Amino acid sequence: MAIDFHAEANRRTYSGRRADDSWRDAVGRLVEPVNAVVVDVGCGGGTYTRAWQELGAAMVLGVDFSDPMLDAAREAHAGLPGVDFRQGEAAATGLADRCADVVFERALVHHTPDLGAVAAEAFRVLHAGGTYLIQDRTAEDVAQPGSPTHPRGWLFEVHPRLLEVENRRRPDPAALATTLTAAGFDGVDASSLWEVRRRYEDREQYLAEIGTRTGRSILHELDDAELATLVDELRDRLPEGPLTETDRWTIWRATRPA
């Protein structure tokens, strides 16, 4: 069963994590965050909303369609200067025309059925010359083999049907670039990023997140017995000590023409 983003039980599934320097460095090479107005669409628990503020953005608006997740985001981050959270859809944010320098969408587009409408909304919200950043995984990213630093790859070895789910929902790079161009964007390019997701004190801390499906929507496709099997398999494959989890992503950058 797919994740229910509106369920109270899942309100903190995307909370409690900090964006790593590997992400900050990559973003800093793609756009100038200092003094920018940033809209973080699909902000979830606000991890990257906070990160944009820490990178020097003048204002960051976190937008999400889930009231429970927005409640968790506000509890954790709303005290930060220049940060606000608002309820809205990816294709209908409710924000003013041309109000942002950057529109950022991480791990969002694989959940959206109408990429054209989402891209059109980003185009509307951006200033002329503004930057649209989409961070998501392609089928090639998903296919990276599992290892102690990339245990996500082992999910699909243990339960191969998850790979079918992933490949159905992941964006095709050429189709996404065409969609962005059709929405009016210029200069569409893409780059790969190995992002450190989180550093764990030991294997069991990581497995506790897996066992509760924290921050990983794909795990909601498993029933409890399948999830328990996955935890046991990962325990056998991972070392006992500290663990650094990395994931490979693709970041698309596009510009609204001046």
Side-chain angles (χ1 to χ4, degrees), residues 145-151 154 237-239 242-246:
S147 70
T149 58
H150 180 55
W154 284 329
R237 300 183 188 206
L238 288 167
L243 185 155
T244 298
E245 180 187 16
T246 61

Side-chain angles (χ1 to χ4, degrees), residues 21-22 31 38-39 64-65 67 72 74 81 85 95 107 111 118 131 133 137 146 164 186 188 206 212 217 232 242-243:
D21 286 345
S22 54
V31 68
V38 180
V39 178
D64 204 279
F65 74 158
D67 285 328
R74 291 185 182 106
F85 294 97
L95 301 178
H111 290 298
V118 172
T131 302
L133 293 180
R137 295 187 183 93
E164 299 176 13
D186 279 346
V188 180
Y206 168 78
T212 54
S217 63
D232 289 342
L243 185 155

Side-chain angles (χ1 to χ4, degrees), residues 112-137:
T112 57
D114 189 346
L115 294 181
V118 172
E121 178 69 355
F123 188 89
R124 183 188 68 81
V125 168
L126 281 167
H127 292 303
T131 302
Y132 187 21
L133 293 180
I134 295 174
Q135 179 179 347
D136 217 301
R137 295 187 183 93

Side-chain angles (χ1 to χ4, degrees), residues 80-93:
L80 293 173
V83 169
D84 193 13
F85 294 97
R86 303 183 186 183
Q87 199 278 338
E89 301 281 341
T93 61

Side-chain angles (χ1 to χ4, degrees), residues 15 21 56 58 63 76 84 101 108-109 111 122 175 187-188 210 212 233 235 257:
S15 299
D21 286 345
V63 178
D84 193 13
D101 301 301
L108 171 73
V109 298
H111 290 298
V188 180
I210 296 296
T212 54
E233 285 284 344
R235 181 175 284 112

